[in-house]
Amino acid sequence: MLMTIVLATAVSCSHAPTQLAMNACTAQAAKADDAREQRAYAALVAHVEASDKPLVRAAERAWAAYRDAECKATAARFAGGSIMPTEQSTCRSTLDADRIRTLQAAMKEGG
């Protein structure tokens, strides 16, 4: 899973010396990926016809709810473990990277 972080953010957390440092690094990477996803979403909203904006916004809200639930479920498998925050952050980065590709493809397809 850590390879996904490297691909999604170009931030390598694989050399973090402790689990606490790994948790902090992957949280920072997830925050950066979330910001990238928000920029891609804003670009798509700006690009689509006014009549399509409510649909794009509804899709984004549904996707964000899915991402949050999926990552919560992923992290729950590690409940009580020190790796739980890393797993949740890695999940967010992975899903944000997938969403960015989807949003960029929608822009290329004309919105």
Side-chain angles (χ1 to χ4, degrees):
M1 277 201 176
L2 292 179
M3 184 58 92
T4 303
I5 292 285
V6 173
L7 295 175
T9 64
V11 172
S12 177
C13 296
S14 62
H15 291 77
T18 65
Q19 187 60 54
L20 185 60
M22 177 80 67
N23 292 347
C25 182
T26 57
Q28 177 185 355
K31 185 176 179 179
D33 288 333
D34 189 48
R36 287 179 49 234
E37 189 277 332
Q38 285 298 307
R39 286 191 301 273
Y41 163 69
L44 180 60
V45 169
H47 180 73
V48 299
E49 298 290 331
S51 61
D52 292 335
K53 289 182 192 303
L55 298 172
V56 173
R57 289 184 182 114
E60 180 70 6
R61 283 191 302 274
W63 173 82
Y66 160 76
R67 179 201 56 204
D68 294 347
E70 178 67 19
C71 293
K72 186 175 182 178
T74 295
R77 294 193 316 258
F78 302 93
S82 61
I83 198 170
M84 184 178 166
T86 288
E87 292 297 321
Q88 187 158 14
S89 295
T90 299
C91 177
R92 287 185 67 94
S93 286
T94 300
L95 294 181
D96 278 341
D98 291 344
R99 180 68 175 163
I100 290 165
R101 285 188 289 277
T102 298
L103 294 168
Q104 289 172 338
M107 289 273 295
K108 290 177 184 173
E109 294 169 359

